[in-house]
Amino acid sequence: MIQLSNIEKVYRTKTIETIALNKVNLGINKGEFVAIMGPSGCGKSTLLNIMGLLDSPTAGTISLDGQAVTSFGDKKLANFRNKKLGFIFQSYHLINDLSVLDNVELPLLYRDGVSGSERRKRAMEALEKVGLSARMKHYPNQLSGGQRQRVAIARAIIGDPEIILADEPTGNLDSVMGEEVINILLNLNKTDGTTIVMVTHDEHMANKTQRIIRFFDGQQVN
Ligand code: ADP
Ligand code: ADP
């Protein structure tokens, strides 16, 4: 499902060169739920951003769902990202002056051929999956952290992505809310077969996934 071959990422400023990823070869199968772990600065976010086509590697190739995306142009890449991928961040990244329902609908706004009523219907279905139907008219700042993250998950799944990329999705949550969020992800993986890649610092959360990939200094170590 995800194949990274010889991926290198170098950040260059006038004076400093940082090798964030050093010749990474990594495959993730369809339907897998994997955790990526490692100390701060080892390249986890960079890896996730490259898998999510939010950032491009300095060298190497990426194939997603059998397609060599490294050669795609910007427009094709944006379409591919919108159709196939869902993103979840540690700090939710919700828009505070949009209602829960409007936040969840956002990814479908840029998709051709989806009417307003279809969008609404799918947003309500996504909110039901995360157990937040009763909060659809609320605004993000009226919700707890765990509820905000569930809204973000609903937004990530509204387009039926094949892959969900989650960067520390439970990092800002207490253990009870973290547990709710991980259970929703486990359920999406199990019932919809969604492939999930999750960066986490939390061994307890990581142990619930099928495989832990450990990074150190820009390289996989297991
Ligand atoms: P992690 O997510 O594991 O904490 P990152 O992928 O954020 O690690 O960072 C990997 C390395 O790349 C670190 O040394 C970090 O300082 C550096 N880095 C990340 N983003 C940038 C950037 N935009 N410019 C320069 N260096 C960066
Ligand atoms: P954190 O809370 O540790 O910053 P997030 O999960 O919120 O992490 O962010 C995920 C990714 O999005 C990171 O690679 C981060 O650099 C990027 N990011 C976070 N906030 C912003 C922002 N306001 N503008 C641009 N990029 C951001």
Side-chain angles (χ1 to χ4, degrees), residues 43 69 78 88 123 126 146 185 216:
V69 293
I88 304 168
L185 294 176
F216 189 80

Short mmCIF file of all heavy atoms in Angstrom, two decimals, residues 43 69 78 88 123 126 146 185 216:
data_model
loop_
_atom_site.label_atom_id
_atom_site.label_comp_id
_atom_site.label_asym_id
_atom_site.label_seq_id
_atom_site.Cartn_x
_atom_site.Cartn_y
_atom_site.Cartn_z
N GLY A 43 12.95 12.16 12.95
CA GLY A 43 12.43 12.19 11.58
C GLY A 43 11.01 11.67 11.41
O GLY A 43 10.53 11.54 10.27
N VAL A 69 3.93 7.90 -7.12
CA VAL A 69 3.47 9.28 -6.96
C VAL A 69 4.60 10.31 -7.04
O VAL A 69 4.33 11.49 -7.23
CB VAL A 69 2.72 9.47 -5.62
CG1 VAL A 69 1.43 8.69 -5.61
CG2 VAL A 69 3.59 9.04 -4.45
N ALA A 78 -2.37 16.70 -5.58
CA ALA A 78 -3.39 17.23 -4.67
C ALA A 78 -4.67 16.41 -4.76
O ALA A 78 -5.29 16.10 -3.74
CB ALA A 78 -3.67 18.70 -5.00
N ILE A 88 -4.67 13.20 10.53
CA ILE A 88 -5.04 13.57 11.90
C ILE A 88 -3.79 14.11 12.58
O ILE A 88 -2.72 13.51 12.48
CB ILE A 88 -5.56 12.34 12.68
CG1 ILE A 88 -6.74 11.69 11.94
CG2 ILE A 88 -6.00 12.74 14.09
CD1 ILE A 88 -7.11 10.32 12.50
N ALA A 123 -21.18 13.74 6.14
CA ALA A 123 -20.61 14.31 7.37
C ALA A 123 -21.35 13.75 8.58
O ALA A 123 -20.73 13.42 9.60
CB ALA A 123 -20.70 15.83 7.35
N ALA A 126 -20.20 10.24 9.16
CA ALA A 126 -18.84 10.21 9.75
C ALA A 126 -18.90 10.55 11.23
O ALA A 126 -18.23 9.93 12.06
CB ALA A 126 -17.92 11.17 9.00
N GLY A 146 -10.74 15.38 23.59
CA GLY A 146 -11.06 14.08 22.99
C GLY A 146 -12.16 14.22 21.93
O GLY A 146 -12.10 13.58 20.87
N LEU A 185 -9.79 4.47 16.10
CA LEU A 185 -8.84 4.13 15.01
C LEU A 185 -8.76 2.61 14.81
O LEU A 185 -8.76 2.13 13.68
CB LEU A 185 -7.46 4.71 15.31
CG LEU A 185 -7.37 6.24 15.32
CD1 LEU A 185 -5.97 6.69 15.71
CD2 LEU A 185 -7.76 6.83 13.96
N PHE A 216 15.59 6.03 14.61
CA PHE A 216 16.61 6.75 15.35
C PHE A 216 17.46 7.47 14.33
O PHE A 216 17.89 6.88 13.35
CB PHE A 216 17.47 5.77 16.18
CG PHE A 216 18.39 6.48 17.12
CD1 PHE A 216 17.93 6.97 18.35
CD2 PHE A 216 19.73 6.68 16.79
CE1 PHE A 216 18.78 7.63 19.21
CE2 PHE A 216 20.58 7.35 17.66
CZ PHE A 216 20.11 7.83 18.86
#
